[in-house]
Amino acid sequence: MSPVEESTLRALLADVTAGRMSADDAVAALRRLPFADVGGALVDHHRALRQGMPEAVFGPGKSPEQCARIVTELLDHGSGPVLVTRVSVDQIKAIEAAVGTGHAEAGCLLFRAPAANRPGTVALVTAGTSDSAVADECALTLRAYGFSPTRISDVGVAGLHRLLANIDSVTGADAVVVIAGMEGALASVVGGLTAAPVVAVPTSVGYGTSFEGVTALLAMLSSCASGVTVVGIDNGFGAACAVARMLP
Amino acid sequence: MSPVEESTLRALLADVTAGRMSADDAVAALRRLPFADVGGALVDHHRALRQGMPEAVFGPGKSPEQCARIVTELLDHGSGPVLVTRVSVDQIKAIEAAVGTGHAEAGCLLFRAPAANRPGTVALVTAGTSDSAVADECALTLRAYGFSPTRISDVGVAGLHRLLANIDSVTGADAVVVIAGMEGALASVVGGLTAAPVVAVPTSVGYGTSFEGVTALLAMLSSCASGVTVVGIDNGFGAACAVARMLP
Amino acid sequence: MSPVEESTLRALLADVTAGRMSADDAVAALRRLPFADVGGALVDHHRALRQGMPEAVFGPGKSPEQCARIVTELLDHGSGPVLVTRVSVDQIKAIEAAVGTGHAEAGCLLFRAPAANRPGTVALVTAGTSDSAVADECALTLRAYGFSPTRISDVGVAGLHRLLANIDSVTGADAVVVIAGMEGALASVVGGLTAAPVVAVPTSVGYGTSFEGVTALLAMLSSCASGVTVVGIDNGFGAACAVARMLP
Amino acid sequence: MSPVEESTLRALLADVTAGRMSADDAVAALRRLPFADVGGALVDHHRALRQGMPEAVFGPGKSPEQCARIVTELLDHGSGPVLVTRVSVDQIKAIEAAVGTGHAEAGCLLFRAPAANRPGTVALVTAGTSDSAVADECALTLRAYGFSPTRISDVGVAGLHRLLANIDSVTGADAVVVIAGMEGALASVVGGLTAAPVVAVPTSVGYGTSFEGVTALLAMLSSCASGVTVVGIDNGFGAACAVARMLP
Amino acid sequence: MSPVEESTLRALLADVTAGRMSADDAVAALRRLPFADVGGALVDHHRALRQGMPEAVFGPGKSPEQCARIVTELLDHGSGPVLVTRVSVDQIKAIEAAVGTGHAEAGCLLFRAPAANRPGTVALVTAGTSDSAVADECALTLRAYGFSPTRISDVGVAGLHRLLANIDSVTGADAVVVIAGMEGALASVVGGLTAAPVVAVPTSVGYGTSFEGVTALLAMLSSCASGVTVVGIDNGFGAACAVARMLP
Amino acid sequence: MSPVEESTLRALLADVTAGRMSADDAVAALRRLPFADVGGALVDHHRALRQGMPEAVFGPGKSPEQCARIVTELLDHGSGPVLVTRVSVDQIKAIEAAVGTGHAEAGCLLFRAPAANRPGTVALVTAGTSDSAVADECALTLRAYGFSPTRISDVGVAGLHRLLANIDSVTGADAVVVIAGMEGALASVVGGLTAAPVVAVPTSVGYGTSFEGVTALLAMLSSCASGVTVVGIDNGFGAACAVARMLP
Amino acid sequence: MSPVEESTLRALLADVTAGRMSADDAVAALRRLPFADVGGALVDHHRALRQGMPEAVFGPGKSPEQCARIVTELLDHGSGPVLVTRVSVDQIKAIEAAVGTGHAEAGCLLFRAPAANRPGTVALVTAGTSDSAVADECALTLRAYGFSPTRISDVGVAGLHRLLANIDSVTGADAVVVIAGMEGALASVVGGLTAAPVVAVPTSVGYGTSFEGVTALLAMLSSCASGVTVVGIDNGFGAACAVARMLP
Amino acid sequence: MSPVEESTLRALLADVTAGRMSADDAVAALRRLPFADVGGALVDHHRALRQGMPEAVFGPGKSPEQCARIVTELLDHGSGPVLVTRVSVDQIKAIEAAVGTGHAEAGCLLFRAPAANRPGTVALVTAGTSDSAVADECALTLRAYGFSPTRISDVGVAGLHRLLANIDSVTGADAVVVIAGMEGALASVVGGLTAAPVVAVPTSVGYGTSFEGVTALLAMLSSCASGVTVVGIDNGFGAACAVARMLP
């Protein structure tokens, strides 16, 4: 129970004792506290951190109207960025009709993009040109969190010199996101080159035995580089969120 | 190329120019530089960080003699902790015969355990009593890195009050490792309660449809809590390494 | 053998004895009895229960004409509700051309919707907005059975307070259907909150490692909450039928 | 919030108002209430039902000492049955050394077996002799809940007359548990014969393409009999718990 | 080596001995014999049987032109039926332009349909209406082989009385083809009712956990009815060919 | 309804008409008829065929006592062969203690082995020496059915000449059982060489990507030779039963 | 380090020593050497071999503009063939607009096709007509490498005589590529017929249990013919590259 | 047909013509020729190559007696090396009792080890110490073929400098075998460093998500390095055979 809530409780008890509040009203107030408490604890604990943190809406499976309504509410009742991911053309149309034009990029729609005010440096490393879509989603989400990620593209391990030519950018970052399909080997190589956190994103890029990203996923989970962590297939958004949990 | 290496290069060139080094010797020295550079860049970059970092040896598939020889070398040529994971009784016997008694715990053998000098706080949350072995390996590895993890045990989501009773310890940690078998739902619940990094470890605990950890693995990768990252099944060691990459 | 059939048999025997029926005709009549008996036993046993129970037709793989013919027959030879699930626009057109307008909702077409006469209370809990389609099918099927289900939506476990804010509706129900995709953790959490029957429906909602519902399915089958039962992926209809078997 | 808890709250507030309790003590008491509330709500709601309900301990992965300690506590702080499932010989020895002799059967150890006081009738139908172990665990768990299940054994669908010869026992039951390995077809046939709840348990019986129960599991989940629900492979305990949720 | 070939060899040797054939020509003739022998052995051995046997062409992956050319050749160089399976509209058009109108049915195109001259009786049993397409392909192929299969449709095991009402047709057949999707249980039930050969065809009918026929396939392979054999998913053509191998 | 049952029915009706049987007794007798009918129909229909057919008991999962009791009953109440498959040493001991010495071979125990009186010829073709165990079980079961199978061993397709050297035995058989592990290609090659029924048995022989027989199973089900049918992995018994259904 | 590089280094050192190059410039030059070295070593080592070797671009996932830009660069900065695989109509349009007309065939676009100057003979064997697309890609890639592959088509193992009739072409080749879907048995048969390298390409041809090439893949990996190697599903391009590594 | 066989045929014809051989004997001789021809063609074609080539016997699934008999025959009827792989202690005992002491190493038993007379150079690269067993089998098989492989061990990609330090040995080899478990990334990195043939062997080394080699297998098949080929899991023997097909 956070200090804030404890003082709320004491004030409430004081009101009851002093007769300023009826027992009925106190019971009603307390009745909602447990749940507010659970959510509230989180908010309080990370308040400083969450200033300006994005609210995210996952587009697929929602009607354009639902999207518009949700975005309207989030913009009205908060002041931070609002990010809609994997948004369709129809959803964009409905949302922008309701709240005005947003920043459309990388299959996402972003409102109230924050300043690039997070100091942590993030390297976003992709194995091939075809991994761009996932990397774009990751980069935009990172920017929604206030980061300014560096992109290092097309450095698949079959041409090791391309990665080594960028080694300073990789080893100098506070966190590295590795995005790769096919056999996903890049995560292991990068994991061995840096002691910073490495978040690996398998992509569904490839054909045949790539099995829509499963091969890269399993390879990344079995990495011989200790301490590499993994998110779901094509989950560039999730990798950015993971980095936002790790860095100042 | 790090400043250190650049000055090495300049010194070498100066030696050649001044006639203090033959062209042959310079070529020989330069010849190894590219590779030393790759490794060296990493070491330099993280030197401050890696002071006292553990060297780890994975026991399975190595003969007792190989283990003894490797541990001897690591102890002789370094000053930090040395950790042998998933070590067998025979391997322990051979290692201790060679280098003296170590600290045996959690299926591991640890030499030169460091002081608990890392300031980051780590909560290690397990769903059931049967996940202990994986949690023990994770905890010992964290201690080998200089952390003092807090254990929160047996808080599976089917009895939510057990987790909620420990909510302060969970939300107060700088990083949380969630260790769970069966359906692995604990990672999602914890991921929603804290904004700190959450590393999820699926365990092979369970039977039937648990499929030796695959169910928990998939569930953790598909978590509805954004930014949870995952390591391989039963990989308590890997989760600890991931945390060590993230925290000061 | 039900009383009805026993009296039929006795009457038949009496007819033979009295010469009112030839042995040939008796043998012919008896010849079909065994099989009628098997079906008849079921009908008799649950006759009270099945008054008004819906006849269901699974749309996919049937031609519009087949659908129209089947629905016509069911309406002609029964008096209860008739429900066509996963019905296409063409099938609706053909059916309604044959038998008149039905109630189209949730991808289904319902005729002779019954009164809400079943006393059992059913809570229908979904993890996300995207699970709505499956929940809609489940709700309509429950209504076709005479239930009045309560919907509790968008209470995924990553925001636990949303579920806890609805805890009374969940714990007060006579049966709970939990509908969730992604990691399906909601079934375990709900299973721990109520002692009533919990039927879990994995949905194909999610992407990447959700594997079209397989992850949620496995997680629900491996639930740490004892006594949760599971139906097939996206099978909202089946979950409703399961509840109809359980409740008065 | 249940009436019981509301009166607790009012009493607490009255104590504070009357000066019988300090604000500090009231805050401390309230601080634990939210969580007690969550658990408590469940207990209250089903109190009548849960009288005499068994506490269950899953044996595997726990040391004999842990088992003994847990069973001791459960016996000391409750009055209902205590059931240890999948218990080993060593665990039995340690438990019985601590608390005296229990009833060992079906790989379980049961203390304080209740009277057979639950009125619901349960038919436990198995496809083959080799499914007995799972059926035994299910039957004992049902008895621990106060049921008196009827066993109908070895009625696999390849010899349909064996099942039909027992049709009255099957169709007359308030709930049916179907336990089958290999192709698991029995669940579909039974599901079509009764309108009562059918809980299907796939077993790992079989070889080759049975894939340790996966085939039966998938077949049961895909049953053409509407409303059959499924628990995990070999989970006789879980099926019994599911029935206990459904029947009075 | 068949008698025909032996006499060919002797004649050839006689020709060489008698100087009617040069050694060069004899070597050239013998050179091709081994391979002709392999194919020839088969043809000879089953000549009586193969009179009127269909030549089959699998449509998918072939251009309309290739189809037309192949069918033309088969019609020109043989006298039996020619069957094109899974044929597209374009392929039909090209074929019929080349060789005249065929008999189009069940996604196939049949030329020179034989008389129904095979004495074996074949029952073709399907579980649901949606299995019709596979059954149609099987039935047409059987007719192309000269059989007159009996169709028994929509007798899924959840309504056992429907199958039992047709029991005489099933048990009276010389071979039974069982076609079922979902959980495929029908194969086991039929396998237990007849001692004749049972060929099971899993279909991709169903959704969710049916996994496009894999569940039915595994269930049929694990059937508790001894001696049921299985062909690939949706392979109605293959089942007909299997029956043609078995029956006179 | 078979003639036998029809006459039973007529006799029963005659008894009632003549007053030799009360209506009560007639009803009781008729009540059991439906189920006896189902089983009886099968027996009658194939009576000629089933003379001397083996009763089979699957050993695994049964206690030695259960095995002994079952075998005793089968020997006492029948006159044909009794075959126990996959029988353990303990089971053999218990069975032979109860009923005397049987014929132990191929992991089976056979009593009352019949004369080799079935005229159909069966070729049993194996790919490698390691497939022998499955072939032995198949051969013994075939002998229990009265067949005299021919063994053609170690003719894997990587050495095609070995198979071709035995081509007459293969093409001359009335049915061929192909037993192969690894990639299971032998089934396709044999299927192309003969027009007789081919039953393919995948074995768990091999390592690595053989996946305990799954690879051979899938390959056999996907065979390019039309009309090859498949039984479960290592199911030599099942293949023999399948042949017994096909041949006179 | 290759001789070329060693002399470069010596020259550079000489320049520094002689004052012809400043230390700054030398450091700058050396700084890029390590990485150039890694790539350069490869180039040097195989320079003779790689004369005229194709540069390959994988089309999918790249925009037409990206394709055009990449091809332009490759044509400008090299003199060998440039091959774009799995190229779309739009990509072809963009590329040809930029660099002129190429040779479009087999879903590829080839520029500067080399003379057929590689002496190694390659047989390209396919099981069915439907495997043509993969074979075409393989053949064109081989031609881009300077080979003149021989095509042997439609020789699936169910008609062994077709393969045996082509045995001289198969056994006479310096390398054989076997392309087959369904059960992929052709690789094993060919592997047993030749001692030359055999590269097997599973194709996604087939349906049902072919599982889009997985069955053929597993079968080829489990081949009983020693020393057959495998590439990914439908990877005709990769097989050609493998052959180019093996042959002069 | 090879020249050798052609002359055999001509001689035979001459014998018949000259009356030195009866037509009966000639037919008998010719009767076996076709098959001998198939096998013989292979032998002849590669005779120069196969001089001294090893005969290999796969141990598992064969009795010690079978092994002894096979090895005896191979030694008696040939003059080249004989290699028994995955041989057990009992098999070694039986074989050596029959034919004398062989060379036991790497789980194999080798007789008549050839001189190291093959000129091709083979690099055998392993990712970790635990891959040694597979590498040992591969190395011994290569030696049985007359190669002298170079071992480069423990160069997993997480420590790239270890591989780069050995780059000359890797890029200088005529063929490279890459042996790796876990994520198998080494194959891609090596494939990018050399233009020589690369044969990748996935090993079952690793735990959790390594899935006994499946992860490494899939990763190697999906390698971004073109032209890498793959053999089955742990198949060191097969990789050596593949190399023997490729190199002089």
Side-chain angles (χ1 to χ4, degrees), chain D residues 1-10 33 36-41 44:
Chain D
M1 194 177 280
S2 65
V4 173
E5 274 151 0
E6 188 155 335
S7 62
T8 304
L9 257 182
R10 287 183 186 281
L33 253 187
D37 174 40
V38 171
D44 286 352

Side-chain angles (χ1 to χ4, degrees), chain B residues 157-158 160 164 182-183 185 188-189 192 209-211 215 218-219 221-225, chain C residues 157-158 160 164 182-183 185 188-189 192 209-211 215 218-219 221-225:
Chain B
V157 300
L160 215 50
L164 296 182
M182 304 181 81
E183 90 282 56
S188 294
V189 173
T209 40
S210 295
F211 293 124
T215 295
L218 295 179
L221 285 164
S222 303
S223 175
C224 57
Chain C
V157 301
L160 214 50
L164 295 181
M182 303 181 84
E183 89 282 56
S188 295
V189 172
T209 42
S210 296
F211 293 124
T215 295
L218 294 179
L221 285 164
S222 304
S223 174
C224 57

Side-chain angles (χ1 to χ4, degrees), chain F residues 153-197:
Chain F
S153 299
D154 204 19
V155 293
V157 300
L160 215 50
H161 55 288
R162 296 177 300 179
L163 175 62
L164 296 181
N166 287 281
I167 199 166
D168 289 347
S169 306
V170 172
T171 58
D174 293 326
V176 184
V177 178
V178 177
I179 299 178
M182 304 181 81
E183 89 283 55
L186 188 57
S188 294
V189 173
V190 168
L193 290 176
T194 179

